[in-house]
Amino acid sequence: MARGKLRIYLGAAPGVGKTYAMLSEAHRRVERGTDCVVAFVEHHKRPRTEVMLHGLEEIERRQLEYRGTVFTEMDVDAVLGRRPQVALVDELAHTNVPGSRNEKRWQDVEELLAAGIDVVSTVNIQHLESLGDVVESITGVRQRETVPDEVVRRADQIELVDMSPQALRRRMAHGNIYKPDKVDAALSNYFRPGNLTALRELALLWVADRVDAYLTEYRSEHRVSKIWGSRERIVVGLTGGPEGRTLIRRAARLAEKGAGGEVLAVYISRSDGLTAASPKELAVQRTLVEDLGGTFHQVVGDDIPVALLDFSRGVNATQIVLGVSRRKSWQYVFGPGVGATVARDSGPDLDVHLITHDEAGKGRGLPVNRGARLGRSRLIWGWLVGLGGPALLTLLLSGVLPDVGLANDMLLFLTMTVAAALLGGLLPALASAAAGSLLLNWYFTPPVHTLTIADPKNIVAIAIFVGVAVSVASVVDLAARRTHQAARLRAESEILSLLAGNVLRGETSLEELLERVRETFSMESAALLERESDVAPWTCAGSVGPRPCATPDEADVDVPVGDHMALALTGRVPPAEDRRVLAAFAAQAAVVLDRQRLQQEAGQAKELAEGNRIRTALLAAVSHDLRTPLAGIKAAVTSLRSDDVEWSQEDQAELLEAIEEGADRLDHLVGNLLDMSRLQTGTVMPLIRETDVDEVIPMALGGVPEDSVDLDIPETLPMVAVDRGLLERSVANIVENAVKYSPTDTPVLVSASAIANRVEVRVVDRGPGVPDEAKDRIFEPFQRYGDAPRGAGVGLGLAVARGFAEAVGGTLHAEDTPGGGLTMVLSLPRAAGPRPPSEPDVPVTATS
């Protein structure tokens, strides 16, 4: 019996329309005469989905009792007995009630498929087993109902039901997904725009990867070697030079022009390890390409063009981006170059872009020894030309051009000497001059085949030849040295200019500067040491790398900075010419250290200035806000003590109530002032313990009317690690502020939920709200927003609430309430202990 086919509608979140799309497909199949039945569909009382069930045959569900409650599940036996062509099975990741035929619904589906029945099902991206941790980090909710990825990947068809976050939130706000009383909580928690956007991206990427895997499998099965441009994949060939940044950015712009373009940067290193690439520059380019959404790859290959093309065809690339060659025109005698070779061998299915750049001929950092300057290949060619060139020239002049004359012979040998000097420097040129003079004497100076010279003029000519050859070689080598020095000085000036600019702009910390020293000079560790006097011990102001020095005597090289500071480096002994740059780095390190200390002093001065400002505001508060309740208390007491008026019991009770209200108000104001004083002086010492949020929040509502707050605090929330008293004061101030601004007929909603490793408490009011530019200002001390009346407080409630929240490791910020108002979000750290036990055996029915 042939296995049935599985079709899955995949969604990014509940409510995108998976079940509706599945039912629409069922109606189309029924109209075509297909025997299609509803094995299990959960419409969640959504009217539009429920209507789509009309006209479709539904198989009666099986009823199961569990812990005193009756549940309904798909009746697998009934479906197998009915044997339809197509069965609709909703919520593939659902966990069946204990006592069912299988533990998971996807196992029921496997039975139907094995019986030859085609199945159409639905699942959300968050229910895939491999994405559980990712989804939890995004939403803060761990999905207990999951389905193995392989089950979904084996589906014959996967159709993505996509919807933008904005459209899904509008559908939620209109009541098309959840009941109206659940809309606000859903929009503020799981259905936040950030959550929906991240889940949508997960779904799109998962489906794209599956399509890509299918395409790769198809190409492999059918042995398709030709590149199919189904998706723009752009390979960037890097050399380790600074021009790589230009190439990466250009490739990223090319990728943006095509839908779903992908950038792959590749650096090809030789198997012998000989490379001129800068590890630091490669690290910068790796970071750049990853920031632009691409990937970095490093492969080994001695034939760079072949390795680059093999890599490009292996990843099904459509374009290659390379920089134009940095070689001079005469250097093309050694070969056409990587770019030209790749362009020639790429074929018609792989486009090659040669990008111009400004880095041609520039060095990559500080030049090192001469051998490294000329390069291994140039030295080899220099010696080949210096020794082999005169020999080949002798054969040519002896056999093909025997009568050109001694003067022309000398000029030709001199050309070989100059070529050897240009390629290999002084030593190959001197060898070429020596070999050329001997060959001229033996083969072309009478009497030939002897080392004697008969004509004195020829002696002078050969002597002049040797002198000119040596002089030319020396001049060429001197020019190469001067070029080397100029390149080095230019590299030094660029490094020092960049360093000075970063230091002056304050963009470099001491550790970053020391890390740059360590990378530039290939050191193991770098440390800036200082001491107070000549006899005081050394202390480390900053260090990077393993095992930094504790004293300058332990360093391989130390650079003094003044009398009581030194830069200590370990790893190798740099050449003497590097010490000038090291001295500049050391001086800049001292400047950075001084700047950091000045910034600390400036911060302390700012704190003192802020303290003065708060004291000034405190005096203003005492002059009015504190005196107002005192004046009321004094007036009431004076009235009660007056003998001139006979007060009735009702009047006395009213005066005593006024005294009590004034005292409570005064106590509240003084409490906030003392709390702010503790926060400003840093004397708040929180006692962090594991605490239940549902126990603390009700205790914080004693200062507001009973009917002014609605609580939605689940008892299953994980415990938080906070100071119980500080949390209670913080929540009390937030709620009192919300009740103050919320309409009298609309209670404030206080809800809580777990998100990742934190617990969020949300206080939602329906008041006038606060504009975005004022959302941070309302948390400053002595700030009252809007038309709050004088005497309503000194503007410390939210400042104290945020201070206490931060003291226990939490955060407090304001958001707009959907539909109008302000929502205060108090985020608290979850306790390190295990999640509180729940009932894992109870199935969750709402999974879509």
Side-chain angles (χ1 to χ4, degrees), residues 529-545:
L529 307 176
E530 62 175 348
R531 60 182 178 180
E532 296 180 357
S533 63
D534 294 338
V535 296
W538 289 95
T539 59
C540 182
S543 64
V544 293

Side-chain angles (χ1 to χ4, degrees), residues 73-87:
E73 295 288 358
M74 179 175 65
D75 193 336
V76 180
D77 292 327
V79 178
L80 293 175
R82 170 67 173 74
R83 293 197 61 79
Q85 289 180 276
V86 179

Side-chain angles (χ1 to χ4, degrees), residues 339-532:
T341 304
V342 171
R344 182 192 63 202
D345 300 338
S346 61
D349 52 356
L350 188 57
D351 298 334
V352 178
H353 302 268
L354 294 179
I355 308 300
T356 58
H357 52 83
D358 298 329
E359 302 299 329
K362 294 184 178 180
R364 302 189 184 112
L366 295 177
V368 287
N369 56 61
R370 288 184 62 207
R373 181 190 78 228
L374 294 175
R376 184 166 176 260
S377 61
R378 282 193 58 182
L379 288 174
I380 293 175
W381 276 103
W383 282 104
L384 288 177
V385 172
L387 297 178
L392 293 176
L393 186 58
T394 300
L395 293 176
L396 177 65
L397 294 177
S398 300
V400 181
L401 301 171
D403 299 323
V404 297
L406 183 60
N408 291 327
D409 293 338
M410 290 184 178
L411 289 176
L412 292 174
F413 276 94
L414 183 62
T415 302
M416 285 294 171
T417 302
V418 173
L422 290 173
L423 289 173
L426 181 61
L427 293 181
L430 294 178
S432 177
S437 63
L438 292 175
L439 291 174
L440 281 171
N441 188 359
W442 184 269
Y443 288 101
F444 303 106
T445 304
V448 296
H449 304 302
T450 65
L451 293 178
T452 61
I453 302 175
D455 190 348
K457 295 180 180 180
N458 292 336
I459 297 176
V460 175
I462 290 180
I464 293 174
F465 165 77
V466 174
V468 171
V470 172
S471 300
V472 170
S474 300
V475 170
V476 172
D477 184 70
L478 180 62
R481 290 176 182 273
R482 293 290 183 264
T483 303
H484 166 67
Q485 293 174 358
R488 180 181 181 83
L489 290 174
R490 177 172 181 173
E492 290 181 1
S493 64
E494 289 179 352
I495 290 176
L496 295 177
S497 175
L498 177 63
L499 173 65
N502 289 342
V503 171
L504 290 175
R505 289 190 298 269
E507 299 174 354
T508 303
S509 65
L510 180 60
E511 286 71 21
E512 291 174 346
L513 180 62
L514 294 177
E515 182 65 25
R516 181 167 296 178
V517 174
R518 191 175 70 88
E519 292 179 348
T520 301
F521 296 96
S522 302
M523 293 296 182
E524 291 183 1
S525 67
L528 185 64
L529 307 176
E530 62 175 348
R531 60 182 178 180
E532 296 180 357

Side-chain angles (χ1 to χ4, degrees), residues 619-738:
L619 292 175
V622 170
S623 67
H624 185 280
D625 296 287
L626 293 181
R627 292 182 63 184
T628 300
L630 284 175
I633 293 173
K634 181 175 177 57
V637 171
T638 301
S639 299
L640 287 173
R641 296 188 62 187
S642 175
D643 297 331
D644 299 336
V645 181
E646 185 69 27
W647 302 103
S648 64
Q649 290 185 354
E650 291 81 3
D651 294 335
Q652 291 179 6
E654 185 177 351
L655 290 172
L656 290 173
E657 183 180 358
I659 293 174
E660 184 179 13
E661 289 180 355
D664 291 340
R665 197 160 129 207
L666 185 62
D667 179 69
H668 181 72
L669 291 173
V670 172
N672 275 337
L673 288 171
L674 292 176
D675 290 338
M676 181 53 60
S677 176
R678 293 166 59 203
L679 289 170
Q680 292 294 329
T681 57
T683 58
V684 176
M685 301 297 292
L687 181 61
I688 304 298
R689 291 182 178 178
E690 293 186 356
T691 304
D692 283 318
V693 175
D694 59 324
E695 295 179 359
V696 177
I697 292 181
M699 299 177 61
L701 307 182
V704 297
E706 293 183 0
D707 57 349
S708 62
V709 177
D710 287 341
L711 286 180
D712 183 13
I713 312 294
E715 296 182 356
T716 57
L717 281 177
M719 303 182 76
V720 293
V722 297
D723 183 298
R724 188 186 185 98
L726 296 183
L727 175 60
E728 182 180 338
R729 289 297 305 275
S730 181
V731 173
N733 283 358
I734 298 172
V735 172
E736 288 176 8
N737 184 79

Side-chain angles (χ1 to χ4, degrees), residues 32 97 104 144 150 164 194 315-316 379 397 411 452 501 525 570 577 604 622 634 670 700 733 741 818 842:
R32 295 196 297 265
V97 174
K104 293 285 190 177
R144 291 185 297 170
E150 186 58 29
S164 69
V315 299
N316 198 28
L379 288 174
L397 294 177
L411 289 176
T452 61
S525 67
T570 61
E577 56 188 359
Q604 295 173 356
V622 170
K634 181 175 177 57
V670 172
N733 283 358
Y741 288 98
V842 179

